[in-house]
Amino acid sequence: MPLIRWQPFHEMESLRRQMDQLFDEFAGMNRETSSKTWAPAIELKDENDHLVLRAEIPGVEGKDLDIQVAREAVSISGEHRYEKKTEEKGFYRSEFRYGSFQRTIPLPVPVENDKVQAEFKNGILTLTLPKAEEVRRKVFKVNLGDSQSAIPASENNQG
């Protein structure tokens, strides 16, 4: 078994980084504006002649969403609104995020952005994005032409 040399300064540096990270996390919980912004989780699926984009946006009403579809990307933005309630007791802890969010999702193929269908139900936004006509998969029959020009299978296997 090889001996590993102890490096005390390396260990101290590692401990310092871990402590800095711990204090940064505690300080981030007390700030109103955190450096980490929330963005909805998405799922993008190819369904032959159209794409289906689903975004998980809980706690937001449809009227608070702004959805813009270009030929190459979809932009979803909105706002989590905070409702003030007057209570005698205050919060001990709140991990809900309030404020605006935005997410832009690049699309793998161009879409017909004027024919998009949208549904927003139970916090899930579903967009059906028809692919542009030039990128839809078209099936063509291939004509081999004259059967005399084809090589018989027995001649093709000779080395």
Short mmCIF file of all heavy atoms in Angstrom, two decimals, residues 14 22 26 30 38-39 48 51 55 65 71 82 94 107 141:
data_model
loop_
_atom_site.label_atom_id
_atom_site.label_comp_id
_atom_site.label_asym_id
_atom_site.label_seq_id
_atom_site.Cartn_x
_atom_site.Cartn_y
_atom_site.Cartn_z
N SER A 14 -9.59 23.27 1.93
CA SER A 14 -10.85 22.57 1.70
C SER A 14 -11.88 22.92 2.78
O SER A 14 -13.05 23.18 2.48
CB SER A 14 -10.61 21.06 1.66
OG SER A 14 -11.81 20.37 1.53
N LEU A 22 -21.13 27.29 3.41
CA LEU A 22 -22.14 27.22 4.44
C LEU A 22 -22.65 28.62 4.82
O LEU A 22 -23.86 28.86 4.90
CB LEU A 22 -21.59 26.50 5.67
CG LEU A 22 -22.54 26.32 6.84
CD1 LEU A 22 -23.67 25.39 6.47
CD2 LEU A 22 -21.78 25.79 8.04
N PHE A 26 -26.47 30.46 4.36
CA PHE A 26 -27.22 31.11 5.43
C PHE A 26 -27.52 32.56 5.08
O PHE A 26 -28.62 33.05 5.30
CB PHE A 26 -26.47 31.05 6.76
CG PHE A 26 -26.61 29.74 7.47
CD1 PHE A 26 -25.49 29.05 7.89
CD2 PHE A 26 -27.86 29.20 7.71
CE1 PHE A 26 -25.61 27.84 8.54
CE2 PHE A 26 -27.99 27.99 8.37
CZ PHE A 26 -26.85 27.31 8.78
N ASN A 30 -31.55 34.98 4.06
CA ASN A 30 -32.05 36.22 4.65
C ASN A 30 -32.25 37.32 3.62
O ASN A 30 -32.88 38.32 3.91
CB ASN A 30 -31.08 36.72 5.73
CG ASN A 30 -31.05 35.76 6.90
OD1 ASN A 30 -32.03 35.08 7.18
ND2 ASN A 30 -29.91 35.69 7.57
N TRP A 38 -35.59 31.35 -9.94
CA TRP A 38 -36.36 30.18 -10.26
C TRP A 38 -36.75 30.22 -11.73
O TRP A 38 -37.05 31.28 -12.28
CB TRP A 38 -37.61 30.12 -9.39
CG TRP A 38 -38.48 28.97 -9.71
CD1 TRP A 38 -38.34 27.70 -9.25
CD2 TRP A 38 -39.62 28.95 -10.56
NE1 TRP A 38 -39.32 26.90 -9.78
CE2 TRP A 38 -40.11 27.65 -10.58
CE3 TRP A 38 -40.25 29.92 -11.32
CZ2 TRP A 38 -41.23 27.28 -11.32
CZ3 TRP A 38 -41.37 29.55 -12.06
CH2 TRP A 38 -41.84 28.23 -12.05
N ALA A 39 -36.74 29.08 -12.37
CA ALA A 39 -37.21 28.95 -13.75
C ALA A 39 -37.99 27.65 -13.83
O ALA A 39 -37.65 26.67 -13.19
CB ALA A 39 -36.03 28.93 -14.72
N ASN A 48 -43.24 13.50 -34.36
CA ASN A 48 -43.22 13.44 -35.82
C ASN A 48 -43.52 14.78 -36.48
O ASN A 48 -42.60 15.46 -36.89
CB ASN A 48 -44.14 12.34 -36.36
CG ASN A 48 -43.65 10.97 -36.00
OD1 ASN A 48 -42.46 10.77 -35.83
ND2 ASN A 48 -44.54 10.03 -35.86
N LEU A 51 -43.95 19.35 -32.17
CA LEU A 51 -43.24 19.24 -30.90
C LEU A 51 -44.24 19.51 -29.78
O LEU A 51 -45.17 20.30 -29.95
CB LEU A 51 -42.11 20.27 -30.81
CG LEU A 51 -41.01 20.19 -31.86
CD1 LEU A 51 -40.07 21.39 -31.71
CD2 LEU A 51 -40.22 18.91 -31.73
N ALA A 55 -44.30 22.67 -19.52
CA ALA A 55 -43.58 23.43 -18.50
C ALA A 55 -44.34 23.33 -17.19
O ALA A 55 -45.56 23.48 -17.15
CB ALA A 55 -43.43 24.89 -18.92
N LEU A 65 -48.97 34.82 -16.95
CA LEU A 65 -47.96 34.24 -17.85
C LEU A 65 -47.89 35.02 -19.15
O LEU A 65 -48.91 35.49 -19.67
CB LEU A 65 -48.31 32.79 -18.18
CG LEU A 65 -48.14 31.77 -17.07
CD1 LEU A 65 -48.63 30.40 -17.54
CD2 LEU A 65 -46.69 31.68 -16.64
N ARG A 71 -39.99 31.14 -34.43
CA ARG A 71 -39.76 29.92 -35.22
C ARG A 71 -38.71 29.02 -34.59
O ARG A 71 -38.75 27.82 -34.74
CB ARG A 71 -39.35 30.28 -36.65
CG ARG A 71 -40.51 30.71 -37.50
CD ARG A 71 -40.11 31.07 -38.92
NE ARG A 71 -39.43 30.02 -39.67
CZ ARG A 71 -40.04 29.08 -40.38
NH1 ARG A 71 -41.35 29.05 -40.42
NH2 ARG A 71 -39.34 28.19 -41.04
N TYR A 82 -47.25 37.64 -4.48
CA TYR A 82 -47.32 37.46 -3.03
C TYR A 82 -48.59 38.15 -2.53
O TYR A 82 -48.80 39.33 -2.77
CB TYR A 82 -46.09 38.06 -2.35
CG TYR A 82 -46.14 38.02 -0.85
CD1 TYR A 82 -46.05 36.80 -0.18
CD2 TYR A 82 -46.27 39.17 -0.10
CE1 TYR A 82 -46.09 36.74 1.20
CE2 TYR A 82 -46.30 39.11 1.29
CZ TYR A 82 -46.22 37.89 1.92
OH TYR A 82 -46.26 37.84 3.29
N SER A 94 -40.28 30.85 5.53
CA SER A 94 -40.97 30.80 4.25
C SER A 94 -39.95 30.48 3.17
O SER A 94 -38.95 31.18 3.02
CB SER A 94 -41.65 32.13 3.93
OG SER A 94 -42.21 32.08 2.63
N LEU A 107 -35.53 25.67 -29.77
CA LEU A 107 -36.19 24.52 -30.38
C LEU A 107 -35.24 23.85 -31.37
O LEU A 107 -34.46 24.52 -32.04
CB LEU A 107 -37.47 24.97 -31.10
CG LEU A 107 -38.51 25.61 -30.19
CD1 LEU A 107 -39.67 26.15 -31.02
CD2 LEU A 107 -39.01 24.63 -29.15
N LYS A 141 -41.69 7.47 -52.31
CA LYS A 141 -41.43 6.16 -52.85
C LYS A 141 -40.23 6.28 -53.78
O LYS A 141 -40.17 7.16 -54.62
CB LYS A 141 -42.64 5.64 -53.62
CG LYS A 141 -42.43 4.25 -54.17
CD LYS A 141 -43.66 3.73 -54.84
CE LYS A 141 -43.35 2.33 -55.36
NZ LYS A 141 -44.46 1.75 -56.06
#
